Amino acid sequence: MKHTLFALALALVATPALAHGDDKPRHGGQVVEVGETVFELVRAPAGVSLYVMEDGDEVPAAGQIARLIVTTGAKRQEVALTPAAGNQFVAKGASIPAGSKVGVLLIDRATQARQTATFTVK
């Protein structure tokens, strides 16, 4: 009995912790996971997109306000994101150079709850 309990305890200690979110990019962007929330930042010639998932489910963009704070060297710029389809936010024409630090602010319109994330753009 002692050996069985020891083996079970050892197995639990050796088991890696599994994250709830999916940290693989679904849209070809860069992913950051903060708690249960996964943010994916996508840079494209047409602009910037942000996708948000929470605990594996899409967070509807229509119920959120989203902003990016882009810092490149000494230059700081705030970029407002517009809700698009599903869990996508867009900033058409926006550009984020490689090496920039990007802060994300997401505010729930109903509860005013705030979430943040930080990217270092590759």
Side-chain angles (χ1 to χ4, degrees):
M1 180 71 169
K2 285 183 182 180
H3 294 292
T4 304
L5 289 175
F6 178 75
L8 180 59
L10 186 59
L12 290 174
V13 170
T15 303
L18 299 175
H20 292 280
D22 183 4
D23 63 354
K24 294 182 178 105
R26 295 179 179 208
H27 307 280
Q30 191 173 332
V31 174
V32 170
E33 186 171 357
V34 179
E36 303 288 324
T37 308
V38 176
F39 298 88
E40 183 177 359
L41 182 66
V42 180
R43 297 180 307 144
V48 177
S49 291
L50 178 73
Y51 297 86
V52 183
M53 303 276 293
E54 177 138 2
D55 201 19
D57 297 322
E58 291 186 359
V59 173
Q64 310 291 320
I65 298 168
R67 287 189 209 117
L68 302 178
I69 289 71
V70 181
T71 305
T72 308
K75 184 180 174 190
R76 186 172 186 260
Q77 171 187 0
E78 187 169 320
V79 178
L81 295 165
T82 304
N87 66 331
Q88 181 187 22
F89 297 89
V90 296
K92 293 182 181 177
S95 166
I96 301 174
S100 298
K101 301 259 189 230
V102 179
V104 176
L105 174 62
L106 186 68
I107 304 170
D108 185 293
R109 289 181 190 274
T111 66
Q112 296 301 305
R114 295 169 182 254
Q115 292 182 300
T116 60
T118 305
F119 290 86
T120 299
V121 177
K122 296 177 183 174

